[in-house]
């Protein structure tokens, strides 16, 4: 059965923090098997034959039922996840300073106007690149990513898209679990 990677936009929903057991339960509610959570519980890997768009809708509905409102979900296939990794425009920088790279997994590509707005927000040593598939990479250079104006203070919906971000260290943790699941097949 195919593996899916589901990323929650937020692990704080309607004033409640999502716990690992609850997140795994959401996936099981929509028929997922072999469910695993990675890190702060907003990262799920599981097996499902359902299409990513179907899983996004069903997981958001399950969130709404459990928490009283949904959070956006981005679901990637293994092929999409691997393409996201391969599209990294900053491989040398990522190897040297992985915490300074932020990856936005997008449900659909960010429109050009949204990308332009992000680039205008970037300081001189920050960089924003969109991959061919529409995902976004941000490099923080000398900036503390937590102090940067780049990812803070805007919503992707306002820029015309739905997505969620993870730093490169988290991306690698998700990938390690994905590798384990594939090896067990």
């Amino acid at each position: 059965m195919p593996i899916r990677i589901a990323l929650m936009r937020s692990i704080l929903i309607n004033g409640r923090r999502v716990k690992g057991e609850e997140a795994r339960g959401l996936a099981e509610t929509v028929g997922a098997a072999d469910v695993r959570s990675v890190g702060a519980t907003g990262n799920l890997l599981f097996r499902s034959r359902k299409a990513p768009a179907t899983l996004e809708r069903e997981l958001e509905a399950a969130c709404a039922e459990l928490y009283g409102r949904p959070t956006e979900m981005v679901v990637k296939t293994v092929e999409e996840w691997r393409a996201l990794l391969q599209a990294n425009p900053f491989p040398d920088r990522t190897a040297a300073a992985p915490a300074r790279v932020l990856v936005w997994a997008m449900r659909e590509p960010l429109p050009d106007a949204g990308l332009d707005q992000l680039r205008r927000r970037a300081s001189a040593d920050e960089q924003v690149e969109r991959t061919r598939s529409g995902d976004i990479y941000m490099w923080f250079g000398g900036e503390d990513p937590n102090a940067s104006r780049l990812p803070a203070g805007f919503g992707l919906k306002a820029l015309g898209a739905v997505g969620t971000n993870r730093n490169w260290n988290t991306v690698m943790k998700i990938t390690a679990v994905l590798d384990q699941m594939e090896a067990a097949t």
Side-chain angles (χ1 to χ4, degrees):
M1 192 174 337
I3 299 170
R4 304 292 188 227
I5 299 96
L7 307 171
M8 300 176 86
R9 172 71 177 99
S10 177
I11 59 170
L12 186 61
I13 306 171
N14 211 16
R16 286 181 52 196
R17 185 174 176 82
V18 176
K19 297 177 181 156
E21 183 177 312
E22 291 172 342
R24 289 186 299 275
L26 290 172
E28 290 166 355
T29 298
V30 301
D34 192 18
V35 182
R36 307 190 190 180
S37 57
V38 179
T41 74
N43 312 302
L44 297 167
L45 289 91
F46 53 81
R47 296 182 188 280
S48 176
R49 287 191 172 83
K50 294 180 182 179
T54 300
L55 287 165
E56 288 165 349
R57 284 190 305 275
E58 290 179 359
L59 286 166
E60 288 174 4
C63 277
E65 188 170 318
L66 182 61
Y67 297 104
R69 62 181 271 199
T71 189
E72 289 91 1
M73 303 290 278
V74 175
V75 178
K76 299 278 188 186
T77 65
V78 170
E79 295 78 17
E80 291 169 330
W81 187 261
R82 299 278 185 211
L84 171 69
L85 299 176
Q86 289 296 315
N88 181 354
F90 314 121
D92 294 337
R93 295 174 184 168
T94 302
R100 294 193 178 282
V101 175
L102 193 65
V103 180
W104 284 85
M106 303 300 294
R107 190 182 289 179
E108 64 274 332
L110 182 66
D112 290 343
L115 181 63
D116 292 342
Q117 184 176 345
L118 284 176
R119 287 181 171 155
R120 283 193 303 275
R121 293 178 67 91
S123 68
D125 61 348
E126 294 176 326
Q127 199 172 349
V128 179
E129 297 296 333
R130 181 176 54 194
T131 68
R132 186 175 299 150
S133 64
D135 298 304
I136 301 168
Y137 276 81
M138 295 180 182
W139 164 252
F140 291 96
E143 284 286 325
D144 171 4
N146 295 321
S148 172
R149 289 178 358 122
L150 195 52
F154 73 90
L156 282 177
K157 280 187 175 180
L159 299 177
V162 173
T164 185
N165 69 67
R166 303 296 186 268
N167 74 32
W168 190 256
N169 291 321
T170 301
V171 168
M172 290 294 91
K173 289 176 185 174
I174 293 167
T175 303
V177 172
L178 174 59
D179 292 344
Q180 291 170 358
M181 290 177 75
E182 286 186 313
T185 305

